[in-house]
Each structure stands twice: as C-alpha cells, then as structure tokens.
Amino acid sequence: MTGFVSSDWSFYVMLDVSKYGVKDDLHFCEWLAEHVGVGAVPGSCFFKEDVHHLVRFHFAKRDETLQAALDRLSALDSKAKTYQCTEVNKI
C-alpha cells in the first residue's frame, strides 16, 4: 500500500486517501467501516490546519485482527470506485 506516513515507535499509520477523491475524511471513514469493514479515524482530528485527505489506522491489535483488516483493505481500490460516485463526496 502506498501513500502512508508512518511514525517510528507508534501504533498507527496515516494514509493519504486523496487518490480516492476524498473531500470529507469523516464521511470516508464512515464509508470505509460500512463498505470495507475496517475502522479508521479522520486525520482532521489531529490537525489545526484544514486537512481532510488523511485517515489514521491504529494497529495495536492481535495479529489475526490485523490480517483480517489487511485482507479487507486489499479490496479498497476497487471498492473506492463506488465511494467516488456518492453524492455526499461531491459536496
């Protein structure tokens, strides 16, 4: 997976989701949970600046949970095509 920013000694990774046309990271995280089955936190929660193209994945989880998330995320590119067509994203 490309487009991520990692931090040494942390339990999370920030992923740049701008390639999916994301304009609202909160809506994208809601869509991600519903359609992909993986939870993420909107990156805008962590910035004072107007940042809406990052989402944060926490990975202090069991290996089995992480593998299931990776399996689900492997379909993100194909499923994201439906995200790009939603009316809410066009705002």
Side-chain angles (χ1 to χ4, degrees):
M1 191 176 292
T2 61
F4 66 91
V5 178
S6 65
S7 176
D8 291 341
W9 305 105
S10 66
F11 295 101
Y12 67 88
V13 64
M14 297 290 273
L15 179 67
D16 182 345
V17 292
S18 59
K19 78 177 193 174
Y20 304 119
V22 173
K23 297 175 183 161
D24 181 341
D25 55 343
L26 175 60
H27 178 261
F28 183 80
C29 287
E30 291 169 347
W31 175 89
L32 187 69
E34 182 179 345
H35 296 277
V36 181
V38 175
V41 178
S44 58
C45 295
F46 304 101
F47 297 94
K48 289 181 180 179
E49 299 82 13
D50 191 24
V51 174
H52 297 282
H53 67 286
L54 298 172
V55 298
R56 179 174 161 164
F57 293 103
H58 177 75
F59 57 85
K61 301 286 182 184
R62 294 180 318 206
D63 289 346
E64 300 83 21
T65 303
L66 293 174
Q67 187 58 56
L70 288 173
D71 292 345
R72 293 173 185 171
L73 286 170
S74 68
L76 180 58
D77 282 349
S78 62
K79 289 185 176 185
K81 292 174 186 171
T82 64
Y83 173 76
Q84 292 175 345
C85 295
T86 62
E87 287 301 315
V88 176
N89 189 44
K90 293 179 182 177
I91 296 173

